[in-house]
Amino acid sequence: MPTLTQNHVRLVLVTVAVLSAAALTAILLQDRGTVPVGLWSLLVGALAVAGVLLPLVAAATPLSRPSSVAPAVLLFLATTAHATFLDEQLSGFPVDWLCTMGVVVALAGTVVLLFNALGLRRERSETRSRLS
């Protein structure tokens, strides 16, 4: 069964970070509407940290191992940050498209990475039981 390599994981993490950075740029260029300033800055900060910073840090460190659950957790955080801006009050034309793509890529990556990591753990435990 073909498994994911670390380069596959890094590619998904960097793709989510690029989509997040583009969405963040579009969000900062548009008007915040009726959203309170404190809430707006919190949501933008969450997208910056969970969508851009954490995936880039994970891609540059050993956290991007396909046998680890950590990249799936980070992608789930990015999915949540993107999904926040799918509300009509918070998004406009480019933001909703970018956030929708971010949610799709991050959610698909989360599911694939989670099943891959759990499958690799199951294979390792079966191999250990055969050897003993």
Side-chain angles (χ1 to χ4, degrees), residues 6 10 13 54-65 74:
Q6 194 165 13
R10 286 180 177 158
L13 289 168
L54 289 179
L56 286 179
V57 168
T61 62
L63 283 174
S64 60
R65 287 177 316 205
L74 293 176

Side-chain angles (χ1 to χ4, degrees), residues 59-105:
T61 62
L63 283 174
S64 60
R65 287 177 316 205
S67 60
S68 174
V69 182
V73 172
L74 293 176
L75 285 174
F76 180 73
L77 290 175
T79 302
T80 306
H82 278 278
T84 303
F85 286 96
L86 292 178
D87 187 279
E88 290 177 14
Q89 191 179 17
L90 298 175
S91 67
F93 163 64
V95 176
D96 55 357
W97 282 89
L98 291 167
C99 287
T100 300
M101 291 304 298
V103 166
V104 168
V105 171

